[in-house]
Amino acid sequence: MRKIKIRPTPAVPSIDYERDLNEEQRSVVLHPGGPMLVIAGAGSGKTRTVTYRVARLIETGTPPSAIMLLTFTNRAAREMMQRVEVLTGGHLAGLWGGTFHHIGNIILRRHAGLLGYKEDFTILDREDQKELLEDSLSELKIEETSAPKGAVLAELLSYHKNTLTPLDDLFHGRYFHIIDFAGEIEKALSIYESRKKRLNLMDFDDLLIQTLILLREHQELREFYASRFLHVLVDEYQDTNILQAEFVDLIGYIHRNVMVVGDDAQSIYSFRGARIDNILTFPQRYLDARIFKLTTNYRSTPEILTLSNRSIEHNRAQFHKELKAILPSGQKPLVVKLSDTFEQCRFVASMITDLTAQGMPRSEIAVLYRSHYQSMEIQLELQHRGIPFEVRSGLRFFEQAHIKDVMAFLRILYNPYDELSWKRILKMIPKIGGVTANRIWEFISITENPLTAIGEAEKLLNRSASEGFRIFSAQIEGLLDTDYKNNPAEAILYLLEHGYEDYLYNTYPNGESRYEDLLQLVKYAEAYAQGRAELLVPDEGMLNLPYTPLERLLSDLTLERVSGDEDIEAGGVVLSTIHQAKGLEWNTVFIIGLNDGRFPSRKSLAHEGIEEERRLFYVACTRAKKLLILCYTLTDNGYSMLEPSRFLTELPEDVYEEVEIEYGI
């Protein structure tokens, strides 16, 4: 007879909580249960605390299948679960971990039939969603060529669903640029929702919304899941929207062992629908909640934390805390006054050169900014000096589609036989694709001047393409009337005012930030018209060449695009918006553009968003480990005087050191 051994269940490894956790972390991990709000300060070991809490629950007898761990990325969930697996010796089978949408998908695969769907529904990816939205709008037979594109409709619909903001409010506020199409858009969204249901499709937002409908409308399901999960843990709770907070409350309403972890001082995503009130009002929704604070910071020096603490204390809506440093004392943060953005970028590049010469790895240096357009001059200066850098906030400035669009217009003004630029522009016109663009190019390329012959090409087009083409022809005529050779900025402004601004808002969900990019490009181009291009060109011998400002601008920017690609590498200096930098850290951090109207942004000052802007400043400062350098300028590159950011002027003078700029070899 064959014998098979039954191996004993592996023992759960003994976890030394006293050794592995500080007192604040231990109090969270060892708490027996009930509602828990954990205010986890920057660099305070939040992930460690959550993973040890899960391990403790399993160690004390909670089945993993009775635990739900909600995170904002599946990667974060995997990382936490891998750590728990190590701590528990692999006792993780059945634990539900992942994003809200991932968990929603699991539930819907079991019960979608209750909503009129089949359980084998298909999830639309972003591209398919855009296409279905555009198809839904096209069913209305809109004649105008400037109807919003699918990407804009998808962003509008997502924000509407995730914030419960009425469409009418959005059209009169955030999406006022497309208000002329409000009626048609509402009809198209209705068609879109009907087609999804008929085709057994769900989009990304449905994974949360349809799950909520299930739990709201079916008591037996709500009770089943709320009974099943003894403990619900939520990471980054300050970033949840109104629907995600409701989901947590529905899953946790029976056992009420709900632990939410986050930092109200790092709530910076309201533009995505995040709702800081979720974390601020948690104690009112759970009257018996125990509040914990993790304030021991393992990242930054005392001096950086002192400045950060003194800044965020100006916010009224918050859970007050004081971050305390483990690291020894270091250098005070530096505040640097600079004449304009050109001097600012030279200062930053010079400091980076000095720091790397002293042995600082480039990858340990970051330049942070409020908006992506603020990185333009920094990118150019680093490129000029041969300093490798990595742009984390998107594409390099001059590789972005809208910048390349505008530069294509300037290129055909300079060289009317630039075939690639012509075709790029022509394919932007509604109803004109690659084949038609080729036909138009073949027609105008054999004329004496394609710029003046372009209007005649309308005869090659069918009726549906003619309207957009006439608008384009008028743009070219208007551009020819500008002083584009001596003042290319005038041509860019003309283009913005005569159609391209509308194109941005109708084509891209982030039309406003792209518009800011182009305004920055205007200022950059004006430096050439005003004879200040010597600020931008590294080769002094170039100054005596008989170039027009347009020629010099195009020449310089072309060189920026085609040279130094080998420097785009991991390990270079990091350039990033602050939003993209959240959760990361560097030895040295520069924060540039600290002027009122820039940071805090002009929009936030007009719409009472100053507290979120201050939280954004706080996030930026707490990314620095050893050295924090805060930069502001006195002028808007010669246009107007600027005020330093109130985030600087409201600081006590003893928390920073002012720097005076000197020039030398």
Side-chain angles (χ1 to χ4, degrees), residues 484-488 525 528-529 547-554:
Y484 60 87
K485 288 184 180 179
N486 296 309
N487 189 0
Y528 286 79
Y547 284 177
T548 65
L550 176 61
E551 288 176 280
R552 295 199 46 204
L553 174 67
L554 291 175

Side-chain angles (χ1 to χ4, degrees), residues 12-15 20 48 51-52 55 82-90:
V12 175
S14 176
I15 303 172
D20 296 347
R48 169 176 285 259
T51 53
Y52 272 76
Q82 285 167 0
R83 292 193 190 187
V84 173
E85 196 168 20
V86 171
L87 289 171
T88 62

Side-chain angles (χ1 to χ4, degrees), residues 100-277:
F100 287 86
H101 297 86
H102 173 72
I103 298 298
N105 184 41
I106 294 173
I107 294 173
L108 288 169
R109 292 295 174 189
R110 301 177 176 188
H111 312 291
L114 295 172
L115 298 168
Y117 284 89
K118 298 173 184 175
E119 278 75 14
D120 61 350
F121 62 85
T122 301
I123 302 172
L124 287 167
D125 64 25
R126 292 299 189 189
E127 287 305 312
D128 289 339
Q129 182 189 28
K130 293 173 194 174
E131 185 176 338
L132 187 57
L133 282 164
E134 288 184 356
D135 287 348
S136 300
L137 189 61
S138 69
E139 283 191 26
L140 302 176
K141 310 295 184 187
I142 299 173
E143 294 293 330
E144 296 187 50
T145 59
S146 56
K149 299 291 189 295
V152 176
L153 297 177
E155 206 259 0
L156 162 68
L157 179 61
S158 182
Y159 192 83
H160 162 62
K161 286 184 172 182
N162 284 289
T163 63
L164 305 182
T165 307
L167 285 172
D168 191 57
D169 290 353
L170 292 177
F171 287 128
H172 285 88
R174 183 182 176 105
Y175 295 91
F176 71 93
H177 288 91
I178 55 175
I179 193 170
D180 291 344
F181 295 94
E184 291 87 350
I185 290 172
E186 291 197 45
K187 291 176 185 175
L189 295 182
S190 179
I191 293 170
Y192 168 76
E193 296 295 342
S194 297
R195 290 182 68 181
K196 275 194 306 174
K197 193 74 168 283
R198 187 172 70 250
L199 298 170
N200 202 36
L201 302 172
M202 289 195 196
D203 61 31
F204 185 69
D205 294 317
D206 287 329
L207 298 178
L208 177 59
I209 293 163
Q210 297 296 338
T211 303
L212 280 175
I213 292 172
L214 270 177
L215 297 177
R216 290 171 190 154
E217 297 182 355
H218 297 275
Q219 181 180 350
E220 71 285 0
L221 273 184
R222 183 169 66 249
E223 290 179 353
F224 170 78
Y225 283 106
S227 298
R228 169 175 178 160
F229 293 104
L230 299 175
H231 289 270
V232 180
L233 300 90
V234 189
D235 189 27
E236 302 287 9
Y237 189 69
Q238 79 281 348
D239 294 334
T240 55
N241 62 35
I242 191 170
L243 302 181
Q244 290 163 330
E246 181 186 355
F247 178 79
V248 172
D249 292 345
L250 288 174
I251 295 294
Y253 85 97
I254 290 180
H255 299 294
R256 302 185 77 257
N257 293 317
V258 176
M259 183 177 104
V260 299
V261 184
D263 185 3
D264 55 292
Q266 297 187 72
S267 179
I268 59 174
Y269 294 115
S270 66
F271 67 94
R272 294 181 186 168
R275 189 169 175 264
I276 191 174
D277 283 353

Side-chain angles (χ1 to χ4, degrees), residues 39 263-267 276-277 279-281 312-321 608 610-612 614-615:
I39 305 299
D263 185 3
D264 55 292
Q266 297 187 72
S267 179
I276 191 174
D277 283 353
I279 192 168
L280 293 178
T281 63
I312 200 64
E313 70 185 9
H314 287 85
N315 274 11
R316 295 183 179 181
Q318 66 167 307
F319 294 102
H320 180 74
K321 63 182 178 302
E608 300 181 350
I610 193 64
E611 293 216 347
E612 179 158 342
R614 189 177 286 109
R615 293 195 293 269

Side-chain angles (χ1 to χ4, degrees), residues 11 32 34 50 59 61 91 113 144 173 187 224 243 272 274 277 287 328 373 391 411 414 420 422 438 451 531 543 567:
V50 174
E59 182 187 55
H91 292 261
E144 296 187 50
K187 291 176 185 175
F224 170 78
L243 302 181
R272 294 181 186 168
D277 283 353
L287 294 177
Y373 76 85
V391 182
R411 286 191 173 92
Y414 171 63
L420 295 179
W422 271 111
N438 283 334
L451 289 167
L543 300 178
D567 289 337

Side-chain angles (χ1 to χ4, degrees), residues 412 415-420 422-423 426 436-457 460 469:
I412 64 169
N415 173 16
Y417 295 94
D418 185 334
E419 178 182 353
L420 295 179
W422 271 111
K423 288 181 178 178
L426 289 167
T436 306
N438 283 334
R439 192 183 312 133
I440 295 171
W441 166 248
E442 288 171 2
F443 174 81
I444 64 175
S445 64
I446 60 175
T447 65
E448 185 175 341
N449 187 344
L451 289 167
T452 55
I454 187 63
E456 299 173 27
L460 304 175
F469 188 80

